[in-house]
Each structure stands twice: as C-alpha cells, then as structure tokens.
Amino acid sequence: MTQHALFVCRSCAFSPTQRDYRGQRGGYYLLSSLRQLQEQSPLPPEFKIEAVDCLSACNRPCTIALAAAGKNSLMFGDLLPLDSAAAVLQLARQYYSSSDGIVPRQHRPESLQKGILARIPYPSL
C-alpha cells in the first residue's frame, strides 16, 4: 500500500494571540498528543506522523497536512493544540480510506469541518 503522511507543524504558535504555553509551542502539544493517542489506537502501518519545521500558515495555528501519492493533499489550520488530536487521527483514517484524498466536509470530525487551508490536487503527469 502507498505511504501516507500526517505532517504536523512543530513551530506553530499555541494560538493566534499566544506564541507559547508553558514554554512550548502549540505544535509541540499537538504532536505530543497525536503520538500518545496513536500508541493507543494506531494508524495503519503505512501512515507516518512527521513533525515539520513549518507549514507556512503562521496566521492559522495549529496546522497539519495529509499527503499520499495519487491523492489530493489536505491542509488544515486553526486547530486547538490541546483538544484536536482525536479529531485529527479520525480525519487521517478517513483520508487513508479515501481513494482520492477527499474527505467531504460533512463527513469530517466537527472540529475539522472548517479550517481547511488547501486541497492540493495530485498531478496526473
């Protein structure tokens, strides 16, 4: 099966008005929560959670992106770093199950029905 990736911006601010919380960026908290939940309820082995330095959506923290060969890539922002991990993992499972990477808005977890920053089509070269 094709490799899938969930990219998490580790440099994202904690919120639009607060850069750090208890000495750490929001991306740190989101990534930590995702990894902890993923241990309890793992994603498929082809799905990797990867920290990235920046997703260039600094005015929309916290930010994640989903990508896989042959699928549209999805990018979301405005995530609450302490409360979004379960919804992000649910979306990752939906993304994995989709044939083209598109997860209809009404089927996404409620907290991810808004906040989509980009849907980047996979090129058919």
Side-chain angles (χ1 to χ4, degrees):
M1 178 132 256
T2 303
Q3 278 294 115
H4 285 66
L6 167 58
F7 298 108
V8 181
C9 179
R10 66 173 149 219
S11 61
C12 274
F14 186 76
S15 73
T17 59
Q18 188 176 349
R19 185 179 176 107
D20 295 335
Y21 175 72
R22 296 185 179 177
Q24 297 290 342
R25 296 288 184 97
Y28 166 84
Y29 289 105
L30 181 57
L31 183 61
S32 296
S33 294
L34 286 167
R35 286 185 172 155
Q36 185 177 30
L37 279 178
Q38 209 262 6
E39 286 179 12
Q40 298 166 6
S41 179
L43 291 171
E46 301 85 11
F47 218 122
K48 303 297 180 210
I49 297 175
E50 296 185 35
V52 294
D53 288 332
C54 184
L55 287 172
S56 293
C58 300
N59 61 336
R60 304 282 299 270
C62 271
T63 306
I64 59 110
L66 298 158
K71 291 186 176 186
N72 290 274
S73 294
L74 303 177
M75 186 172 171
F76 289 85
D78 302 324
L79 302 175
L80 301 173
L82 300 177
D83 300 322
S84 297
V88 169
L89 289 181
Q90 181 181 342
L91 178 67
R93 288 182 181 89
Q94 291 172 309
Y95 181 82
Y96 180 81
S97 297
S98 74
S99 61
D100 56 7
I102 296 173
V103 180
R105 179 181 178 167
Q106 66 273 19
H107 294 181
R108 290 184 227 140
E110 187 175 342
S111 62
L112 292 161
Q113 290 183 1
K114 295 183 180 180
I116 190 160
L117 303 179
R119 183 175 79 190
I120 303 163
Y122 183 80
S124 55
L125 303 175

